[in-house]
Amino acid sequence: MQLASLVRNETGVDDAPTVVMLHGVFGRARNLGILQRALSPHFNTVAFDLRCHGDSPHAPISYPEMAKDVLESMDALGIREAYIVGHSMGGKTAMATALTAPERFRKLLVADIAPDIMIHGQHDLAQQLYHTPLPALNSHAEIRKFLHDLTEDPSVGELIAQHITPGDPARWNIGVTDIVASFPVIQSWPDVFKGKTWDGPALFIRGGNSPYIKPQHHDVIRGYFPQADIKTIPNTGHWLHVEDPTSFNSLMLEFLRS
């Protein structure tokens, strides 16, 4: 499957390395713009809409299939080798892609997720969204108010709002049915990767207040990625790159440019 993408090639250097960027569940490529802007003086970047998200096709979700999507989309853009960065579901997809085609990646950066079963807080939200019919919502302001009332969380409402098109009734432009049906898969880690390793430089960045990477996950991470370094950004949760972009971008640039 070829994925929709946002490409930034602004370095002015013909052979500048490329960073592939992957968002989390309910995100899309354009949510990674702040990271792309931080990287653009030094790297070419491409952020993909993963399947069921943004402008990419909808299909059942699995990490082996999403890894194939990323590789096929890199092929379509002529990217033979890259660094890869992913957050949450995108982090698991980045890990899966590196394990699937290790020769195509120079460095791996994963934000706040481990290669293990991770119970996402978004599961209940996905069920709620799936079972709540969309009413007439004729503007983006009405969409944001509807989601704020539904979720009681303005930041989540802003994230989800990008996936609703105004109308009477409003309509989803995200693969809600496939996402909800695939949530057990999104939360899991596939057996097909057990026993595989990727030996390149890897950095895992966790939020200090996030439950997603715990001490017991460190050995699990290094079982797949023996060179992994694990760092923490204090006073941040799962959305660490949004909550403290200065610290996240500093760690990201230090790692990718070293």
Side-chain angles (χ1 to χ4, degrees):
M1 177 187 295
Q2 188 168 337
L3 303 172
S5 62
L6 291 177
V7 177
R8 294 184 68 138
N9 295 333
E10 301 169 3
T11 63
V13 179
D14 291 339
D15 60 349
T18 296
V19 180
V20 170
M21 313 186 76
L22 308 176
H23 62 80
V25 68
F26 293 127
R28 63 186 306 171
R30 69 187 185 198
N31 296 149
L32 301 174
I34 191 169
L35 305 187
Q36 283 192 287
R37 288 191 293 274
L39 291 168
S40 61
H42 315 285
F43 301 93
N44 296 326
T45 64
V46 54
F48 288 121
D49 285 335
L50 295 174
R51 60 169 58 194
C52 296
H53 294 75
D55 295 322
S56 288
H58 299 174
I61 290 172
S62 79
Y63 290 113
E65 288 302 315
M66 287 197 290
K68 291 179 185 177
D69 295 345
V70 172
L71 293 168
E72 289 176 12
S73 301
M74 288 172 60
D75 289 344
L77 294 172
I79 301 169
R80 297 306 308 163
E81 185 180 70
Y83 302 153
I84 189 164
V85 174
H87 169 250
S88 195
M89 180 186 73
K92 282 190 172 180
T93 304
M95 290 186 269
T97 309
L99 291 168
T100 300
E103 73 285 354
R104 297 193 62 175
F105 297 97
R106 295 168 61 181
K107 293 185 179 182
L108 166 72
L109 190 154
V110 176
D112 208 55
I113 206 73
D116 202 353
I117 297 172
M118 299 271 121
I119 304 302
H120 291 249
Q122 294 96 331
H123 179 262
D124 291 342
L125 173 63
Q127 292 287 342
Q128 185 180 22
L129 294 172
Y130 181 67
H131 292 292
T132 302
L134 292 178
L137 299 168
N138 295 308
S139 69
H140 291 291
E142 290 183 10
I143 290 171
R144 287 193 294 271
K145 183 181 185 307
F146 167 76
L147 290 169
H148 180 271
D149 294 343
L150 189 67
T151 66
E152 300 181 348
D153 186 332
S155 61
V156 173
E158 288 291 335
L159 181 70
I160 304 299
Q162 65 189 327
H163 298 301
I164 297 178
T165 299
D168 185 7
R171 63 179 178 84
W172 290 105
N173 52 43
I174 190 173
V176 172
T177 299
D178 284 318
I179 291 171
V180 172
S182 300
F183 241 94
V185 174
I186 293 171
Q187 295 178 137
S188 70
W189 179 248
D191 290 341
V192 68
F193 295 121
K194 287 185 177 177
K196 292 189 176 184
T197 59
W198 186 78
D199 295 322
L203 175 62
F204 285 68
I205 307 176
R206 63 177 295 274
N209 299 333
S210 173
Y212 285 84
I213 297 181
K214 299 178 180 178
Q216 62 264 34
H217 294 127
H218 291 200
D219 287 343
V220 176
I221 289 169
R222 293 191 176 107
Y224 290 99
F225 306 100
Q227 293 196 53
D229 190 11
I230 302 168
K231 295 188 176 182
T232 299
I233 299 179
N235 303 314
T236 60
H238 186 53
W239 300 93
L240 65 174
H241 60 301
V242 176
E243 296 172 42
D244 189 349
T246 300
S247 296
F248 187 90
N249 289 347
S250 177
L251 288 172
M252 176 176 66
L253 284 166
E254 179 184 11
F255 172 65
L256 294 179
R257 295 188 69 196
S258 63

